[in-house]
Amino acid sequence: MSVYFLAQIKIIDDSQYQKYLDKCDEIFSNYKGKYLAVDPRPEIMEGEWNYSRSVLIEFPDKLEFDKWYNSEGYQEILKFRLAGAECDSILITGK
């Protein structure tokens, strides 16, 4: 069953966040995820949105998500995303 990683990102330090961006696609390409959307200005339908961008990634299952998220390579660069941005992230299980 597919799972979806949704990250709402508010960039607070461009240089730290750029260190993350410089490596994330290279690392991500080694896993079975698929970017579905990266949007700096989504249409707000309800509530408030105080972020710089939204990212939605699909994985074929939780195991593949775990392989990517917990990989040594991703954990090495995750520190730059967390230092450069305030992030609210969730994992959603598909039907």
Side-chain angles (χ1 to χ4, degrees):
M1 182 174 309
S2 294
V3 297
Y4 302 87
F5 179 70
L6 174 61
Q8 304 283 55
I9 301 164
K10 183 178 190 178
I11 299 170
I12 56 174
D13 183 328
D14 288 326
S15 64
Q16 285 294 312
Y17 194 76
Q18 188 60 49
K19 291 177 186 179
Y20 171 79
L21 291 178
D22 289 345
K23 295 285 187 177
C24 71
D25 287 342
E26 175 186 333
I27 292 167
F28 186 73
S29 69
N30 296 315
Y31 298 91
K32 295 181 182 175
K34 176 181 174 184
Y35 285 106
L36 297 180
V38 177
D39 192 344
R41 290 178 290 289
E43 182 178 350
I44 301 167
M45 304 303 293
E46 297 176 9
E48 296 181 24
W49 188 80
N50 298 312
Y51 300 96
S52 305
R53 68 182 59 199
S54 292
V55 178
L56 179 62
I57 304 172
E58 177 183 30
F59 289 88
D61 53 44
K62 176 97 167 39
L63 179 62
E64 293 299 327
F65 165 79
D66 288 340
K67 286 180 185 177
W68 164 69
Y69 192 84
N70 296 315
S71 70
E72 183 178 326
Y74 188 69
Q75 289 300 307
E76 277 183 24
I77 66 166
L78 178 59
K79 63 186 174 193
F80 298 121
R81 178 167 67 86
L82 298 177
E86 296 172 359
C87 303
D88 292 320
S89 302
I90 58 173
L91 189 65
I92 303 167
T93 302
K95 286 187 150 193

